[in-house]
Amino acid sequence: MKVKDILEKACYENILTKDEIKLLLMAEGDDKELLFKTADSVRKEHVGDEVFLRGLIEFSSYCKNDCFYCGLRRSNSQAQRYRMQEDEIVEVAKRAYQMGYRTVVLQSGEDMYYTKDMLCSIIKKIKSSVDVAITLSIGERSYDEYKAFKDAGADRFLMRFETSNEELYKKYHPGMSFEKRIECLKWIKNLGYELGTGFLIGLPGQTIDDLAQDILLVKELDADMIGIGPFIPHPQTPLKDSKEGSVDLTLKSIAILRLLIPDANIPATTALGTLDPLGRQKGLKCGANIVMPNVNDLEYKLKYELYPGKICINEDATKCRGCIESIIVSLGRKVGQGKGQSRHYKRFA
Ligand code: 5AD
Ligand code: FES
């Protein structure tokens, strides 16, 4: 089957076989350009020219897990740890609102210091102060906690499954289980959150077959938001000597998922912008429609080191927003107004 035919099928049926996805992941030259162009026009047709900005608040760099790739892993004794207190988090959310953000993403390592009640209180305080959507990105919790956060006013939840290859998952996530991860994602979806998930590109040992499977799993989980980023080796982790993930494969994965879930929200991730100075622009041109600038103070930004070399780390939050707005305009796109709920999201029951 030719790439052109596969793309036609993807646009028409929104589903592809694993082999078809693999062919798209391996496309080069004109075929690759056609994939990107098709994804860009599907993006335009289904979610328009607006690029929505999300204000990212990384509120704790503590983590109880030990993921092999992540700079925040608990075994990294050189990591700089901080925890923002409740009022400080609420203040930063208000500041984000004043800067124009209508979604804030509360992200942290898996830090059980923040109890169910504390997080509910933070969510409620933000919701009663400013009119923003709240996205949580805090990892695995119990069903009861996910439900309490939703009842408190959280709207969306991001949690990547990182890799669908169970063997690799086990190897790189000591003490964690893939099955549990998927269970959490299903709970989140069933509780009525907008669900965001995705994976890492280029984990050592990952194959094209695995990536095709990752893409199919995002489709199967029926994600409303899709986060895909290249792996970047962190010098204080066991994967420090591994090769970084491919920008090209990341762009192709974004493009393919735009075809399979045309109305999803897909960010051009910071990791993409870190490996390629034009990475975010390229992402926005092959299917992405979201950017997530950090709104924290410099002091915290420097300490939240998932991977080295993160872009925008020395920029103050206002400058960062200005810079991203000019990128959006230079691409002939518009800065999204309003909360930018995923068009894929359907409230049920
Ligand atoms: N390189 C790229 N992405 C990383 N993440 C964690 N560590 C790295 C790394 N070294 C990603 C994970 C996680 C998200 C918050 O950051 O995919 O889900
Ligand atoms: Fe924190 Fe992986 S090291 S969730």
Side-chain angles (χ1 to χ4, degrees):
M1 212 174 178
K2 285 200 203 127
V3 162
K4 187 170 159 287
D5 300 324
I6 299 175
L7 292 174
E8 242 166 59
K9 178 184 167 192
C11 290
Y12 198 66
E13 300 177 19
N14 303 138
I15 190 68
L16 291 174
T17 65
K18 198 174 184 181
D19 285 339
E20 290 163 344
I21 293 173
K22 280 165 73 174
L23 274 171
L24 293 183
L25 286 171
M26 290 184 291
E28 289 301 337
D30 289 349
D31 283 344
K32 183 172 85 176
E33 291 315 312
L34 188 61
L35 165 64
F36 291 167
K37 239 182 85 187
T38 310
D40 195 45
S41 64
V42 167
R43 184 270 308 154
K44 193 176 170 74
E45 183 188 339
H46 289 266
V47 297
D49 278 336
E50 283 186 307
V51 176
F52 286 92
L53 300 183
R54 316 306 197 189
L56 179 62
I57 307 174
E58 296 158 337
F59 65 91
S60 164
S61 66
Y62 282 84
C63 190
K64 72 175 172 65
N65 295 334
D66 219 13
C67 308
F68 269 41
Y69 45 82
C70 184
L72 302 187
R73 68 197 306 264
R74 67 159 188 268
S75 300
N76 181 6
S77 55
Q78 295 176 66
Q80 303 190 59
R81 310 287 179 179
Y82 67 89
R83 284 188 177 113
M84 286 166 66
Q85 295 308 308
E86 182 165 331
D87 287 345
E88 197 180 2
I89 300 171
V90 177
E91 279 314 307
V92 177
K94 284 195 212 166
R95 200 173 69 196
Y97 180 83
Q98 280 149 14
M99 278 190 262
Y101 292 100
R102 293 297 175 264
T103 296
V104 292
V105 180
L106 302 181
Q107 188 178 87
S108 67
E110 286 202 9
D111 186 1
M112 299 306 136
Y113 167 86
Y114 299 89
T115 60
K116 177 174 89 177
D117 289 348
M118 276 167 81
L119 286 166
C120 285
S121 164
I122 293 166
I123 293 163
K124 283 184 194 154
K125 277 193 188 159
I126 295 175
K127 280 289 194 175
S128 63
S129 327
V130 282
D131 187 20
V132 292
I134 296 183
T135 305
L136 298 178
S137 176
I138 58 171
E140 295 179 14
R141 295 268 177 161
S142 66
Y143 181 86
D144 180 48
E145 286 172 292
Y146 288 137
K147 181 167 187 333
F149 304 149
K150 186 79 181 60
D151 292 342
D155 304 277
R156 310 175 184 157
F157 205 104
L158 301 177
M159 187 162 68
R160 295 180 179 173
F161 54 77
E162 315 293 0
T163 174
S164 63
N165 176 326
E166 293 195 41
E167 226 169 276
L168 283 188
Y169 190 93
K170 214 168 156 185
K171 187 167 161 193
Y172 294 141
H173 302 93
M176 296 174 75
S177 106
F178 179 74
E179 208 186 338
K180 174 81 209 168
R181 192 76 162 185
I182 300 300
E183 183 177 40
C184 287
L185 290 170
K186 289 185 176 161
W187 286 342
I188 291 164
K189 180 104 190 161
N190 286 333
L191 282 165
Y193 284 94
E194 269 177 73
L195 173 71
T197 193
F199 51 92
L200 278 165
I201 307 264
L203 283 171
Q206 192 183 46
T207 63
I208 291 287
D209 206 85
D210 292 333
L211 284 183
Q213 192 57 48
D214 291 343
I215 289 171
L216 284 171
L217 181 55
V218 172
K219 171 77 183 171
E220 191 188 317
L221 291 167
D222 197 26
D224 303 296
M225 309 178 280
I226 304 163
I228 304 168
F231 155 69
I232 304 174
H234 188 297
Q236 291 147 15
T237 64
L239 299 183
K240 62 177 187 297
D241 296 322
S242 303
K243 216 169 115 255
E244 65 195 27
S246 146
V247 167
D248 211 49
L249 278 175
T250 308
L251 296 172
K252 287 175 187 166
S253 301
I254 289 175
I256 296 167
L257 273 160
R258 171 58 70 201
L259 304 181
L260 298 187
I261 314 184
D263 50 1
N265 277 340
I266 308 181
T269 55
T270 309
L272 192 53
T274 298
L275 285 190
D276 180 337
L278 290 176
R280 285 179 303 178
Q281 284 88 327
K282 290 179 184 172
L284 289 171
K285 287 206 280 188
C286 71
N289 70 323
I290 303 281
V291 182
M292 295 169 59
N294 192 306
V295 291
N296 259 351
D297 287 330
L298 215 61
E299 173 206 350
Y300 293 138
K301 275 200 207 181
L302 290 167
K303 293 181 179 165
Y304 198 86
E305 198 187 47
L306 300 170
Y307 49 81
K310 241 192 200 175
I311 43 166
C312 310
I313 208 104
N314 289 308
E315 306 305 330
D316 130 286
T318 326
K319 199 167 157 214
C320 219
R321 185 174 168 108
C323 159
I324 286 167
E325 284 187 5
S326 58
I327 290 179
I328 293 169
V329 173
S330 76
L331 294 172
R333 307 271 281 275
K334 290 177 287 202
V335 176
Q337 302 295 315
K339 292 178 185 160
Q341 186 182 70
S342 170
R343 294 198 194 178
H344 189 70
Y345 174 73
K346 285 164 202 77
R347 187 167 285 283
F348 42 89

